[in-house]
Amino acid sequence: MLQITPIDPFDAPTFDAWWDAYAAARRGDLGEDAVVWSREESRAEQQQESETTQRQAFIARRDGDVVGAASLALFLKDNRHVAGIGVNVPPQHRRSGIGSALLAHVEAEARRAGRTTMRADIFWPATLPADGAGAANLEFARRHGYEVALGDLQNRLALPVAAAVIDGLLAEAPAVGYEIHSWIGPVPERFLAEWAALDAVLDTEAPTGDLDLEASSGDTLDYRAGERLQEQQGRTSYGTVALDADGHIAAYTQIVVSSDDGNAYQWGTLVRRADRGHRLGLRVKLENLRALQQHSPQTSRIYTFNAESNAHMLAVNTRLGFQISARMAELQKRLGDAPHS
């Protein structure tokens, strides 16, 4: 008999069993190309007392054995109609109804919370076609009413990039009339409000496909709370901005390094609309890359995720030497009217 129960993230053995199932499922899909949040990064996120996101995690057991894991994220300030979900079943337990039961469970929880749009991310190998033909997880999602709202690429860059390559690309993006600032750690207070505002609209300024979402508020206190979580997770942030003549942020970029897996992850990059066309995106990414290589020479790779329709940013990444390592789909399902919580 299958039992699905919520977990207490402060109960170490239960949490560890949940994480083991999650990691095994991800690695079963992609092998060495799987990007997996570490055990301690995941634990810190689940334990965080957040004012922006209510998180829950569930574990599935059959005859006492852990056979699957699921997660649910309910946004509390913006996109309150959306629930972010994850369903992970290790390969040896698939095709026995566990995934379907976990999915039904988290959807029911989302309905009770008044959510009407479900969102989930899935990955499949880069060797499979862009439409996901042959990807078992996409076939599973479609059987349960989910569609691809946005197709993404997971790209990987081997480090270090030669200084001559960086210098050559920098010469193509002189950023005349702009001032470049880089730092390690939390965003300096003088940049915080404009940085948070740009970061908040990243999801809606970048290609969104058919995603049903709205921009975040850009609240600076919430942003600082996110930075504190990064610190608890052992992550280090590298940030770079381009400032216009009046000292306002025209472009920003961020790389976050995980102390657990040693990888770097490209987070947001955005150029303000009024300042596009000056190759500022390339400039800030190059400056940030140079800072990363200088201060974290042990970091051996960077991962980035971009919409497959974002031709401009993909072209920038190609110039830097990124290569596709997997495909990703941002899935969506509308449940219709749900009861209010």
Side-chain angles (χ1 to χ4, degrees):
M1 179 178 178
L2 187 68
Q3 293 181 313
I4 298 174
T5 56
I7 70 164
D8 176 358
F10 293 92
D11 177 353
T14 303
F15 178 85
D16 288 345
W18 174 89
W19 186 87
D20 288 341
Y22 149 75
R26 286 296 184 94
R27 290 169 178 152
D29 289 333
L30 288 179
E32 65 179 13
D33 290 318
V35 172
V36 178
W37 280 41
S38 76
R39 188 185 306 273
E40 297 311 316
E41 288 172 335
S42 300
R43 193 192 313 273
E45 183 187 56
Q46 288 290 332
Q47 292 179 350
Q48 182 196 30
E49 294 184 8
S50 173
E51 294 186 4
T52 62
T53 310
Q54 177 185 334
R55 296 184 178 91
Q56 297 174 271
F58 305 90
I59 198 165
R61 291 183 174 90
R62 177 171 281 167
D63 299 326
D65 296 328
V66 175
V67 294
S71 59
L72 176 65
L74 303 175
F75 309 110
L76 303 177
K77 291 189 174 181
D78 307 294
N79 291 291
R80 295 183 63 190
H81 63 296
V82 175
I85 67 172
V87 172
N88 295 285
V89 178
Q92 68 271 27
H93 299 302
R94 292 175 182 173
R95 299 191 180 278
S96 61
I98 297 166
S100 296
L102 280 167
L103 181 58
H105 188 87
V106 293
E107 285 186 351
E109 293 289 331
R111 279 186 182 276
R112 278 192 284 272
R115 307 307 160 112
T116 57
T117 298
M118 304 291 100
R119 287 190 57 189
D121 298 334
I122 61 170
F123 297 80
W124 60 82
T127 53
L128 294 180
D131 64 4
N137 51 2
L138 182 57
E139 294 173 1
F140 169 84
R142 284 180 166 153
R143 285 199 305 272
H144 290 278
Y146 287 79
E147 295 295 338
V148 176
L150 186 65
D152 299 320
L153 296 177
Q154 172 186 299
N155 290 293
R156 182 177 61 221
L157 175 65
L159 299 179
V161 176
V165 173
I166 295 176
D167 289 342
L169 291 170
L170 282 170
E172 299 179 18
V176 176
Y178 296 90
E179 186 177 342
I180 306 297
H181 285 269
S182 298
W183 63 85
I184 303 172
V187 176
E189 190 65 31
R190 68 185 178 116
F191 297 139
L192 179 60
E194 291 187 359
W195 174 286
L198 272 178
D199 188 69
V201 300
L202 177 66
D203 284 343
T204 52
E205 284 287 312
T208 59
D210 295 323
L211 290 172
D212 176 19
L213 55 79
E214 61 189 22
S216 301
S217 65
D219 183 277
T220 57
L221 293 178
D222 291 339
Y223 192 86
R224 287 297 194 213
E227 289 182 323
R228 290 192 294 273
L229 175 60
Q230 291 174 35
E231 183 178 1
Q232 293 166 6
Q233 292 171 317
R235 295 174 171 180
T236 302
S237 173
Y238 290 76
T240 294
V241 295
L243 305 180
D244 66 14
D246 295 322
H248 297 296
I249 296 179
Y252 91 107
T253 194
Q254 182 180 26
I255 291 173
V256 176
V257 179
S258 169
S259 63
D260 283 344
D261 65 18
N263 293 325
Y265 297 91
Q266 176 67 59
W267 284 18
T269 299
L270 187 64
V271 179
R272 197 173 57 182
R273 289 194 178 197
D275 297 276
R276 292 172 188 173
H278 302 285
R279 312 206 74 181
L280 290 180
L282 177 60
R283 181 74 190 201
V284 294
K285 291 187 78 165
L286 288 166
E287 295 285 3
N288 217 32
L289 174 60
R290 185 161 61 177
L292 171 68
Q293 295 192 161
Q294 178 182 351
H295 295 285
S296 187
Q298 71 277 11
T299 300
S300 61
R301 62 182 66 176
I302 300 176
Y303 285 95
T304 186
F305 303 85
N306 299 102
E308 197 155 5
S309 59
N310 193 349
H312 174 73
M313 192 57 66
L314 289 173
V316 169
N317 289 338
T318 298
R319 297 294 305 278
L320 290 174
F322 280 92
Q323 296 183 334
I324 180 172
S325 55
R327 294 187 182 275
M328 169 183 163
E330 298 183 50
L331 302 175
Q332 185 168 270
K333 175 182 177 180
R334 290 183 172 88
L335 298 181
D337 294 333
H340 295 291
S341 59

